[in-house]
Amino acid sequence: MNNFYASDSLNTHTDENITAACKRLLQQQSFHTQDDIRTSLIELGYEDVSQSTVSRLLTRLGVAKVPNAYGKKVYCLTIENEGIEVDSAIASQIEFVTHNQLVVVVRTHPGRCSAGSKNHRHAAAF
């Protein structure tokens, strides 16, 4: 019986590792397809990663497919899962934020850009 519990514990530990690896990949790169994510996880050493495994990981992480700066849809962690705290006055002016390795795009509600950029410049100075 002890082996069963040890095996179960190992599977839970592996699930946590692959979930954390998937989250890191999504934070560092842009992915257009689940197969791209699957390939990257395999390259990291996670064997037997199927498309359904990737789909479950994306659901667990609360990932959404959103347009990037070029209008192409990519998988992205939602703001709720990122753990970033933003002043509510600024957050209420932002529609969405997306990024790749070179650019961060912040889309604001119409007429709100200049107030947001002033706050951004002030925060970046520190």
Side-chain angles (χ1 to χ4, degrees), residues 79-117:
I79 292 174
E80 293 85 25
N81 291 326
E82 283 293 292
I84 298 172
E85 293 185 24
V86 179
D87 184 298
S88 62
I90 296 171
S92 67
Q93 298 173 20
I94 297 173
E95 285 185 29
F96 72 86
V97 178
T98 187
H99 66 89
N100 61 25
Q101 294 175 335
L102 301 173
V103 177
V104 176
V105 176
V106 179
R107 182 170 182 167
T108 62
H109 295 289
R112 305 293 184 172
C113 184
S114 41
S117 66

Side-chain angles (χ1 to χ4, degrees), residues 10-57:
L10 180 62
N11 288 338
T12 302
H13 184 64
T14 302
D15 285 349
E16 290 171 4
N17 288 341
I18 194 169
T19 302
C22 186
K23 183 175 181 178
R24 272 192 314 277
L25 285 170
L26 291 165
Q27 289 170 332
Q28 297 169 355
Q29 300 175 40
S30 293
F31 295 96
H32 297 281
T33 67
Q34 291 184 6
D35 192 55
D36 293 340
I37 297 169
R38 180 184 161 277
T39 301
S40 291
L41 287 168
I42 291 170
E43 288 172 359
L44 288 175
Y46 294 95
E47 298 176 5
D48 299 324
V49 178
S50 66
Q51 181 274 327
S52 60
T53 299
V54 173
S55 180
R56 282 191 297 274
L57 287 168

Side-chain angles (χ1 to χ4, degrees), residues 58-88:
L58 297 178
T59 300
R60 186 179 303 151
L61 291 169
V63 172
K65 201 161 188 185
V66 298
N68 66 8
Y70 302 105
K72 301 211 182 224
K73 292 202 173 195
V74 295
Y75 289 97
C76 182
L77 292 165
T78 58
I79 292 174
E80 293 85 25
N81 291 326
E82 283 293 292
I84 298 172
E85 293 185 24
V86 179
D87 184 298
S88 62

